[in-house]
Amino acid sequence: MKRKCLVMLVLVAFAAGGAFAQDNQSAPPPPPPMPKNTFTVDVGPLILGLGSGFVLNVVDDDLSSSGFGIAAQFERNLAQRLSMALRFAYLSLNMEYTDVVGGSQISVDAAQSSFSVEGHLRLYPFGETFFLDGMLGYANLSSDFEGTVNVSGQRRPVDFNESGNYLKLGAKLGWRISLGANGGFTIEPSVGYYHAIPLGDSVGKQFSDYINGNADVVDTFELVEKFIFTGGPRASLGFGWRF
């Protein structure tokens, strides 16, 4: 009787061990950790440059423009919910301002371009995808104006070529969407707002001083400087790779 009980215990132990081994074999392996690096190219500045003719015509129907822009960003995850990113951006616009004042036509051809370097600190409150972004950066704006303007009822020739430097602050929210199971192709839409602080005189202030008066065109170019080149609402659409 004792021998039969011992045999039964051994069989039960082997059966339990086999079942446990089968369970371990059928359990899926844990997913690999997500990659820490993401590189994206942002076409937001390109859309802004190509669409600037419409945007600026809404601001001032005497102004027409065409432009180009591009940006690139590298992001590194420091932790699951925290990352840092470095972004470079370029935007250029060719603008033409025409108006008739006192029966005389005035016009200014303007070529402006800016580049910026931005540092971003990102928080992913839910661990993945959705993020909150704070930005500190630097921008340089170069401007070349040629033509004639109206100053206090008088036509005046313009030949202005200056630049300005700016400290940039900003915040935005967005989504980092990786289409692969473990990173890979990534889409990153985001929206936000930037504010620029001139480091010295802004280009608009320099232009106003240059013509020694308040020409009609000054306000228009100051708006372009403040809300297109160095600050204002921002929409981004990045495409890249997470690795």
Side-chain angles (χ1 to χ4, degrees):
M1 185 65 180
K2 290 181 180 181
R3 183 176 295 177
K4 290 182 179 180
C5 291
L6 182 60
V7 171
M8 289 295 294
L9 288 174
V10 171
L11 291 175
V12 169
F14 273 111
F20 182 75
Q22 290 179 359
D23 287 343
N24 279 347
Q25 292 175 0
S26 61
M34 291 297 286
K36 294 184 176 182
N37 304 311
T38 307
F39 178 79
T40 54
V41 174
D42 179 15
V43 299
L46 176 61
I47 296 171
L48 177 61
L50 295 176
S52 62
F54 172 78
V55 174
L56 295 178
N57 190 255
V58 172
V59 174
D60 191 330
D61 57 9
D62 298 320
L63 186 66
S64 61
S65 77
S66 62
F68 172 81
I70 199 70
Q73 176 178 284
F74 176 76
E75 179 184 2
R76 171 77 175 181
N77 272 76
L78 305 178
Q80 183 181 7
R81 290 180 168 83
L82 187 67
S83 74
M84 293 188 69
L86 184 64
R87 184 174 187 268
F88 300 90
Y90 173 81
L91 176 64
S92 66
L93 292 178
N94 293 314
M95 295 169 284
E96 182 178 359
Y97 178 91
T98 58
D99 197 5
V100 176
V101 179
S104 299
Q105 180 172 330
I106 62 173
S107 65
V108 176
D109 292 329
Q112 293 188 282
S113 63
S114 70
F115 72 86
S116 62
V117 181
E118 303 167 3
H120 294 257
L121 185 65
R122 288 185 170 184
L123 174 66
Y124 291 83
F126 307 116
E128 276 292 334
T129 309
F130 176 73
F131 63 81
L132 302 172
D133 183 305
M135 182 275 294
L136 175 65
Y138 162 82
N140 175 271
L141 172 62
S142 298
S143 300
D144 186 2
F145 301 159
E146 294 183 357
T148 58
V149 297
N150 180 64
V151 181
S152 302
Q154 300 292 323
R155 294 184 70 193
R156 172 173 173 174
V158 170
D159 187 4
F160 173 86
N161 191 337
E162 296 292 344
S163 64
N165 300 302
Y166 304 81
L167 176 68
K168 296 174 63 176
L169 305 171
K172 63 181 181 179
L173 57 86
W175 298 262
R176 183 180 61 184
I177 306 167
S178 296
L179 303 183
N182 188 37
F185 183 69
T186 299
I187 302 173
E188 186 180 294
S190 64
V191 293
Y193 190 90
Y194 285 3
H195 175 69
I197 303 171
L199 301 174
D201 289 340
S202 67
V203 169
K205 176 65 167 55
Q206 294 178 64
F207 184 51
S208 180
D209 292 343
Y210 168 79
I211 60 175
N212 296 319
N214 295 318
D216 297 337
V217 72
V218 170
D219 292 339
T220 298
F221 285 129
E222 283 184 336
L223 286 174
V224 172
E225 173 185 342
K226 184 178 294 184
F227 291 104
I228 293 182
F229 278 105
T230 61
R234 285 293 182 267
S236 299
L237 181 59
F239 299 93
W241 195 262
R242 192 171 180 186
F243 57 96

